[in-house]
Amino acid sequence: MTLECFLLLLMIVSILTGLFTEGIKKLLEESKKTYKANFLAGGVAVVLSVLVGSGYIILIDAQINSKMAVYLIALFLLSWLSAMVGYDKVIQSLGQIKLPNKNE
């Protein structure tokens, strides 16, 4: 998995998290149930990141190695974080991290 693919998967999970969370909120409000919005968004993000990560592995027919495991754990944690603080803030923070250039 490349960094670009990882960021694409993170963006997909973040978009779907917002949509699913709003749908679940409406269902909970209609049934007059109380909920914590951050816990709900975090839980939805975790479930979606597991599903999207599993779908990627199945569709690409990838093998789980140490690099893939790090990407999947990062997807899990960063999707949860982006559900709490917002996707834009997470991408801005990741962009500030200087990655070594492979060509040098």
Side-chain angles (χ1 to χ4, degrees):
M1 178 184 297
T2 63
L3 182 61
E4 292 82 13
C5 184
F6 168 75
L7 290 175
L8 176 66
L9 291 177
L10 181 60
M11 183 183 70
I12 290 169
V13 169
S14 296
I15 291 169
L16 290 177
T17 297
L19 295 172
F20 276 93
T21 301
E22 286 303 314
I24 293 171
K25 280 179 171 179
K26 289 194 185 288
L27 286 174
L28 291 174
E29 287 171 2
E30 286 178 2
S31 62
K32 309 242 188 282
K33 305 253 180 179
T34 59
Y35 60 90
K36 304 278 187 199
N38 278 339
F39 288 125
L40 178 63
V44 170
V46 166
V47 169
L48 287 175
S49 66
V50 168
L51 291 175
V52 167
S54 300
Y56 174 81
I57 290 171
I58 292 168
L59 289 174
I60 302 302
D61 198 25
Q63 300 215 356
I64 297 181
N65 53 22
S66 58
K67 184 179 178 182
M68 180 68 79
V70 169
Y71 274 126
L72 293 175
I73 291 169
L75 179 65
F76 174 83
L77 293 175
L78 289 174
S79 65
W80 174 76
L81 182 65
S82 67
M84 300 294 177
V85 297
Y87 177 76
D88 294 337
K89 298 257 187 224
V90 172
I91 292 301
Q92 179 184 10
S93 298
L94 287 176
Q96 291 174 352
I97 298 172
K98 299 286 185 190
L99 294 176
N101 192 350
K102 292 182 182 178
N103 295 330
E104 294 178 2

